[in-house]
Amino acid sequence: MAQVQNRLRPFFENITFDRDDNELVLNFGPQHPSAHGQLRLMLHLQQEQIVKAHPDVGYLHRGMEKMAENMIYNEFMPTTDRMDYIASSSNNYGFALAVEKLIGLEVPRRAKVIRMLLLEINRLMSHLFWLATTALDIGAMTVFLFAFREREYLMDIIEGYCGARLTHAAIRIGGVPLDIQDSFLHQLRVFLNKLPQNIKDYEDLLDSNRIWLMRMEEVGVIPTEMALSWGCTGPMLRASGVAWDIRKEEPYELYDEVEFNVPYSDKGDNFARYRIYMEEMRESAKILYQCIDMYDECVKNGETELMAHAPKYISAPKLDIMTQNYSLMQHFVLVTQGMRPPVGEVYVATESPKGELGYYINSQGGPYPYRLKLRAPSFWHTGILTDLLPGHYIPDVVSIIGTTNIVFGEVDR
Amino acid sequence: MRAYKPKDDLQAKAYYTDRYYVAPQVPKSAVEDDEIFAADLEAIKAKFEVKEAYIQVEQMVIYINAHDIYGVLELMRDELEYTQLSEMSAIDWLAKDDTFEIFYQMLSMTKRKRIRVKYFIKNGQAVDSVEKLFRSADWSEREMFDMFGIEANGHPFMKRILMPYDWQGYPLRKSYPLQGDEFAAWYEVDKIYGKEARDIIGPEIRDTATVDRYDSERFARLGFEVPKGTKITGNEERNPQEYQEEGGVFLIKKYTKESSKVIDDPQR
Amino acid sequence: MAQHKVNYTQDGGLPVALTSIDKVVNWGRSNSLWALTYGLACCGIEMMAAGASRYDFDRYGTIFRASPRQSDLMIVAGTLTKKHAEFIKRLYDQMTEPRWVISMGSCANTGGMFNTYATVQGVDRIIPVDLYLPGCAPRPETLQYGVMLLQKKIRANKAGNAQKPKRLM
């Protein structure tokens, strides 16, 4: 076959390099090793200083909102995994909670405890991953290897629960599909007992590291007004002086029963964000210890239910499906046609590791959502780069992108 | 007979609905039930026309006029402490009455309350940009333009954000098919190789159930590999793949299962 | 300090191995597969995990490089969207011959679960692929197995002959 030359023209054809104002235009991405995904930045430079930044996203836009409109509710659950793929269960949970609020379901207590265990494990996984990649970008290879080692242990626990390492789909609408496996709590305890020492190891490597401090302190300062105006949430907002954690302020599940602190800082720079991630890992560990106790209590009280009882929306337990005719019929209808939530709309926000993860669902009474909008925190954390980067120097770009903790699965959806 | 499919609404539809099925409603309650919401609504009503207001799933929903949006959000931000615009987007009602419904999800951190401000616009009408009030609207309005084709007046950079600049069509409209139109199907081939390459590369395989086990050009059946292009009869010999060739590899120690060590304690 | 002692009385007496050019070249090529970091989505995380502490990719000689000019292997890990398609072609063209491509995960193989307007239905519509890894996302073990099979494929080549440049068309 004759070889056909490809038609690609240089992508910089629309950019004027020969400029009067002495500005240099630098293209960064979309496939850059330290961009945490497919971020493309067009940076206007004056010498080494950035005067204008133009983030370009959409290189991972996969049409999830369109998919949601063409899928029954349970079918969409595995797709949510691929949004923030560092912490899949938190996405599953946000969607499940939104649909439960729409239907008006109450989840059994044991399922709630298991959900909280999964959510906090996911938060730890996400923060460890953040630490690993950011440290790698700044040049601290050791921390990368250490943090990935710990993350693998958490993945083992999750894998024992749901069979997947990365894309869990471990939470169902109305509860959780399974009880945790026998070794879950033991493995978790072993991990948590080691965690304080591990976190101390990372801090020993980083906190007094001159390079780390120079690239983190007083770099990428986000004032409170800017953070609020850009819709920043999660650690990004807490580092800018607003102690806003949805787990605390609008508690869902059993977060009002556990005791934990919300770390915040009024510095707003990269280092503040780094400190908040480290403190949040400690808080997560604290929550997990309490969840373990709560789970033991559930076992003691003989609470065995894992799924809510709502035959119109949720399939009966497997035993009932296999033995009772009516349950089997319900299950068949729910699997083939899907549940039909009531007409109405709901917006539910949960605190994912990155920030406020919201699901807006508009239901018209059919088995498919009429409109589903995913409010992903990283989208705005990428947008803020427009205002944040000008005034900084080129090496700061990498550390700022690192501490914003953006994941492109959820920026572009 | 082929089933009739409306062109203006290509969303998946339930293939069967009981003819007597009446969908229930998510309960709405009056705004007066909640003191904070009632006070907020009073403050908004004093200056702007509010068409409808109710509380649904712990959040207040208000419907206003399209031209009031900037004023309402400014009032909410400056006087009612709704300091964050969490989300905004549109809902496509083109098939029903040729309108879009726009919603703004507001959050007050001091009151711990959320309000959804909504209004309708006609197809082709532009909305007022609130980018001056909330910088987050910069990107959401661009996303709305990208997905629905709704322009925002006064926006500094009204261009596509998620799709490429040279994309055609607005993906989240109900009239846009899930798997893309003709333009989308050939987008990358046309761009990289040119239109004449379409015949060589061939159309996309969109049927997820496609499994061609007689295809030895592209995929191989694991354990039953045959040379490329061989005609597959179904009686292939089992041909297990080893990591290394039988005769050993130059300078590399031969891997044997017996000499490997299995780590069964993950905590070690 | 460790002392390196060579026993000259064994194996023909000298630290010399006799072999053919083919074997030497293929040994070098197959055991220093430097991979271009092409983490596009979820699979990219598993690719990183394969390179990190537990799965330690370095022992295969597979080191991730950030530049296409320095790499022999492109591991396309994740969903390729239509907006990104031109860049993968551009980067693939920048890699030096001989070059290999592993398509990692369902999305890169066939589009996977994202059967939508925005995704390319298989990276083999853009660039030629040597190895397809199934899974969503494939485990790091799968990627390691894939690399080992690719090494085997490279060893089967004749190094003396010029590599036939792979073209999609």
Side-chain angles (χ1 to χ4, degrees):
Chain A
M1 239 176 287
Q3 189 199 330
V4 182
Q5 285 295 322
N6 68 56
R7 301 299 174 88
L8 286 179
R9 279 165 303 175
F11 60 87
F12 42 79
E13 62 183 325
N14 294 327
I15 305 165
T16 324
F17 286 93
D18 188 18
R19 297 168 68 105
D20 297 333
D21 51 5
N22 238 352
E23 274 181 19
L24 173 75
V25 182
L26 181 73
N27 176 60
F28 178 101
Q31 185 50 49
H32 191 277
S34 62
H36 285 216
Q38 309 181 32
L39 170 66
R40 183 173 173 199
L41 282 170
M42 302 300 289
L43 302 171
H44 293 237
L45 303 173
Q46 229 155 29
Q47 278 92 46
E48 248 193 296
Q49 200 170 26
I50 296 155
V51 289
K52 192 168 160 240
H54 176 69
D56 189 8
V57 297
Y59 290 95
L60 195 51
H61 176 67
R62 302 180 276 195
M64 281 192 188
E65 284 166 20
K66 190 82 180 172
M67 282 171 84
E69 290 174 8
N70 293 284
M71 280 180 166
I72 63 175
Y73 286 86
N74 276 319
E75 210 178 347
F76 185 60
M77 187 60 83
T79 314
T80 58
D81 279 337
R82 277 85 183 162
M83 273 175 65
D84 176 4
Y85 36 74
I86 318 286
S88 306
S89 296
S90 53
N91 304 325
N92 297 154
Y93 175 71
F95 181 61
L97 186 69
V99 179
E100 281 156 15
K101 282 257 174 86
L102 192 63
I103 303 171
L105 274 186
E106 185 58 29
V107 177
R109 189 178 164 88
R110 185 158 174 164
K112 282 185 175 177
V113 177
I114 296 175
R115 283 176 169 197
M116 275 176 66
L117 282 167
L118 290 174
L119 288 179
E120 291 307 316
I121 289 178
N122 270 280
R123 193 179 308 275
L124 274 176
M125 268 164 59
S126 169
H127 285 6
L128 282 170
F129 184 84
W130 169 83
L131 181 70
T133 47
T134 307
L136 183 69
D137 289 347
I138 307 248
M141 188 80 183
T142 321
V143 179
F144 168 75
L145 293 174
F146 277 15
F148 255 81
R149 181 188 62 192
E150 264 74 66
R151 187 167 169 269
E152 290 289 339
Y153 293 140
L154 286 172
M155 281 179 146
D156 283 342
I157 300 175
I158 290 270
E159 194 186 335
Y161 176 67
C162 66
R165 281 163 52 87
L166 207 64
T167 44
H168 309 143
I171 291 170
R172 297 281 182 280
I173 297 164
V176 286
L178 296 165
D179 200 1
I180 54 176
Q181 77 270 23
D182 296 339
S183 59
F184 191 100
L185 293 183
H186 169 69
Q187 277 179 304
L188 188 58
R189 264 198 211 102
V190 171
F191 176 82
L192 289 178
N193 291 341
K194 277 188 194 167
L195 189 66
Q197 182 56 42
N198 290 328
I199 296 178
K200 195 170 167 299
D201 283 351
Y202 312 142
E203 286 180 343
D204 286 349
L205 282 166
L206 296 176
D207 270 0
S208 53
N209 186 330
R210 211 168 52 177
I211 302 171
W212 182 261
L213 290 177
M214 279 171 76
R215 309 236 0 217
M216 287 295 197
E217 274 183 330
E218 307 290 320
V219 173
V221 180
I222 305 177
T224 313
E225 296 76 39
M226 195 207 265
L228 285 173
S229 170
W230 263 107
C232 286
T233 45
M236 287 281 277
L237 186 61
R238 289 197 282 276
S240 296
V242 185
W244 172 261
D245 189 325
I246 297 172
R247 289 177 294 170
K248 204 84 172 172
E249 311 292 334
E250 300 173 336
Y252 47 91
E253 294 303 305
L254 303 172
Y255 278 112
D256 44 355
E257 292 181 23
V258 293
E259 197 182 307
F260 65 100
N261 301 324
V262 178
Y264 73 101
S265 157
D266 48 9
K267 280 268 175 39
D269 59 351
N270 281 349
F271 195 73
R273 265 164 260 153
Y274 153 71
R275 288 304 316 160
I276 281 175
Y277 280 111
M278 302 305 269
E279 290 305 323
E280 273 192 14
M281 280 201 262
R282 294 201 170 96
E283 297 302 323
S284 282
K286 214 194 273 178
I287 297 174
L288 278 172
Y289 274 123
Q290 295 173 49
C291 288
I292 293 174
D293 293 343
M294 282 155 94
Y295 181 80
D296 289 339
E297 220 167 89
C298 284
V299 174
K300 214 186 289 166
N301 296 344
E303 290 165 27
T304 50
E305 288 231 321
L306 291 176
M307 290 289 268
H309 180 72
K312 253 174 92 180
Y313 305 111
I314 313 281
S315 293
K318 205 76 186 168
L319 185 69
D320 286 5
I321 294 172
M322 292 300 184
T323 51
Q324 292 177 20
N325 199 4
Y326 189 72
S327 297
L328 178 65
M329 281 157 59
Q330 283 284 3
H331 179 63
F332 179 76
V333 171
L334 284 175
V335 169
T336 53
Q337 296 184 16
M339 67 166 82
R340 290 167 197 250
V343 180
E345 50 182 20
V346 68
Y347 174 83
V348 174
T350 56
E351 183 79 18
S352 91
K354 312 272 182 304
E356 175 184 325
L357 177 69
Y359 284 82
Y360 168 81
I361 301 177
N362 187 318
S363 159
Q364 292 299 313
Y368 303 95
Y370 191 79
R371 173 89 170 94
L372 191 145
K373 182 84 180 78
L374 307 163
R375 193 258 185 226
S378 296
F379 185 70
W380 282 273
H381 297 173
T382 316
I384 202 171
L385 295 177
T386 322
D387 290 353
L388 186 57
L389 288 182
H392 286 90
Y393 293 88
I394 295 179
D396 298 339
V397 174
V398 170
S399 64
I400 290 174
I401 293 172
T403 49
T404 50
N405 195 7
I406 44 185
V407 167
F408 276 79
E410 78 177 1
V411 175
D412 303 332
R413 303 180 295 275
Chain B
M1 213 169 78
R2 200 179 305 144
Y4 170 73
K5 273 194 180 154
K7 287 274 184 298
D8 53 355
D9 187 358
L10 297 174
Q11 190 188 356
K13 292 277 182 296
Y15 62 87
Y16 171 77
T17 305
D18 190 294
R19 58 196 291 200
Y20 300 113
Y21 177 76
V22 179
Q25 291 279 336
V26 179
K28 295 175 184 175
S29 55
V31 178
E32 286 73 41
D33 296 354
D34 189 294
E35 284 175 19
I36 301 173
F37 279 149
D40 290 344
L41 185 62
E42 278 311 307
I44 298 170
K45 264 188 177 166
K47 286 192 182 166
F48 301 100
E49 184 195 350
V50 175
K51 287 178 176 166
E52 200 188 344
Y54 54 85
I55 296 178
Q56 196 172 40
V57 201
E58 302 152 28
Q59 292 172 15
M60 183 163 79
V61 182
I62 59 172
Y63 282 89
I64 56 166
N65 286 318
H67 56 264
D68 286 341
I69 183 64
Y70 190 91
V72 170
L73 290 199
E74 193 174 26
L75 175 78
M76 285 174 72
R77 186 189 72 168
D78 295 341
E79 289 169 33
L80 305 180
E81 299 177 356
Y82 286 84
T83 46
Q84 220 175 31
L85 173 66
S86 305
E87 176 65 285
M88 66 150 297
S89 195
I91 305 168
D92 178 334
W93 294 110
L94 292 181
K96 203 173 112 203
D97 50 5
D98 208 31
T99 54
F100 287 109
E101 186 177 355
I102 321 282
F103 66 89
Y104 296 74
Q105 185 73 39
M106 307 295 297
L107 164 67
S108 166
M109 289 180 174
T110 45
K111 301 178 187 173
R112 298 177 193 174
K113 290 285 178 193
R114 290 172 193 272
I115 294 186
R116 191 153 52 244
V117 183
K118 301 177 95 173
Y119 59 85
F120 289 95
I121 57 161
K122 280 275 165 210
N123 187 13
Q125 197 183 332
V127 301
D128 287 339
S129 171
V130 294
E131 186 265 333
K132 298 272 183 307
L133 294 173
F134 299 99
R135 286 288 287 135
S136 60
D138 183 346
W139 277 33
S140 350
E141 275 163 6
R142 273 178 76 190
E143 192 192 336
M144 190 168 76
F145 168 68
D146 193 353
M147 292 291 141
F148 292 95
I150 304 169
E151 290 192 35
N153 288 333
H155 190 283
F157 192 71
M158 198 80 254
K159 280 206 175 181
R160 285 184 183 272
I161 182 166
L162 294 179
M163 304 309 292
Y165 288 164
D166 54 353
W167 191 260
Q168 290 174 12
Y170 300 105
L172 274 181
R173 287 193 181 186
K174 298 280 175 192
S175 55
Y176 194 88
L178 169 67
Q179 301 182 343
D181 50 13
E182 176 78 10
F183 172 81
W186 295 105
Y187 176 79
E188 77 277 20
V189 174
D190 285 359
K191 190 161 188 183
I192 297 173
Y193 295 106
K195 273 204 168 64
E196 55 275 22
R198 284 186 182 191
D199 293 341
I200 306 168
I201 292 176
E204 295 175 322
I205 301 168
R206 287 286 188 174
D207 182 6
T208 44
T210 306
V211 176
D212 188 2
R213 56 174 301 229
Y214 296 100
D215 177 7
S216 62
E217 292 281 341
R218 283 177 297 176
F219 290 99
R221 199 171 146 214
L222 206 63
F224 295 89
E225 285 90 350
V226 290
K228 188 179 179 183
T230 316
K231 210 164 162 43
I232 290 184
T233 57
N235 305 324
E236 276 69 37
E237 294 244 328
R238 183 158 171 77
N239 176 23
Q241 290 285 319
E242 294 288 335
Y243 298 132
Q244 294 170 359
E245 296 84 342
E246 264 313 300
V249 183
F250 173 62
L251 280 184
I252 292 174
K253 213 168 133 188
K254 171 89 175 150
Y255 162 80
T256 52
K257 279 223 168 94
E258 293 75 44
S259 65
S260 62
K261 187 170 182 290
V262 178
I263 300 165
D264 40 15
D265 177 20
Q267 295 296 333
R268 38 180 187 286
Chain C
M1 200 178 143
Q3 288 191 343
H4 286 282
K5 284 188 177 169
V6 182
N7 187 351
Y8 292 106
T9 58
Q10 275 184 355
D11 297 334
L14 280 170
V16 169
L18 293 178
T19 182
S20 59
I21 292 286
D22 271 359
K23 278 189 179 172
V24 157
V25 170
N26 281 334
W27 168 73
R29 275 181 185 165
S30 65
N31 289 302
S32 61
L33 280 173
W34 287 9
L36 175 66
T37 50
Y38 218 90
L40 295 171
C42 338
C43 297
I45 309 299
E46 290 296 63
M47 187 175 77
M48 284 176 77
S53 14
R54 182 181 289 184
Y55 296 96
D56 190 15
F57 231 153
D58 294 4
R59 61 207 161 107
Y60 298 90
T62 301
I63 301 166
F64 290 106
R65 303 299 304 180
S67 160
R69 315 253 180 213
Q70 300 167 351
S71 41
D72 319 300
L73 168 65
M74 182 191 254
I75 302 175
V76 185
T79 320
L80 182 70
T81 59
K82 304 215 173 198
K83 192 174 181 183
H84 196 107
E86 57 171 308
F87 295 96
I88 201 169
K89 175 70 182 157
R90 208 186 293 281
L91 286 172
Y92 179 77
D93 287 347
Q94 287 179 14
M95 284 163 67
T96 47
E97 302 271 1
R99 55 193 170 191
W100 295 274
V101 177
I102 291 180
S103 152
M104 180 184 179
S106 297
C107 289
N109 293 345
T110 63
M113 69 192 293
F114 297 102
N115 194 358
T116 60
Y117 55 91
T119 44
V120 175
Q121 300 295 302
V123 68
D124 51 1
R125 289 174 66 78
I126 312 292
I127 53 174
V129 176
D130 290 275
L131 209 64
Y132 299 86
L133 299 182
C136 185
R139 299 176 58 93
E141 289 97 325
T142 317
L143 182 57
Q144 292 180 336
Y145 179 63
V147 168
M148 283 162 98
L149 285 186
L150 185 67
Q151 287 179 339
K152 193 178 163 194
K153 181 178 174 178
I154 294 169
R155 284 197 293 263
N157 281 342
K158 277 262 179 252
N161 301 349
Q163 286 273 318
K164 202 175 153 203
K166 286 188 281 277
R167 293 279 181 272
L168 194 61
M169 46 180 215

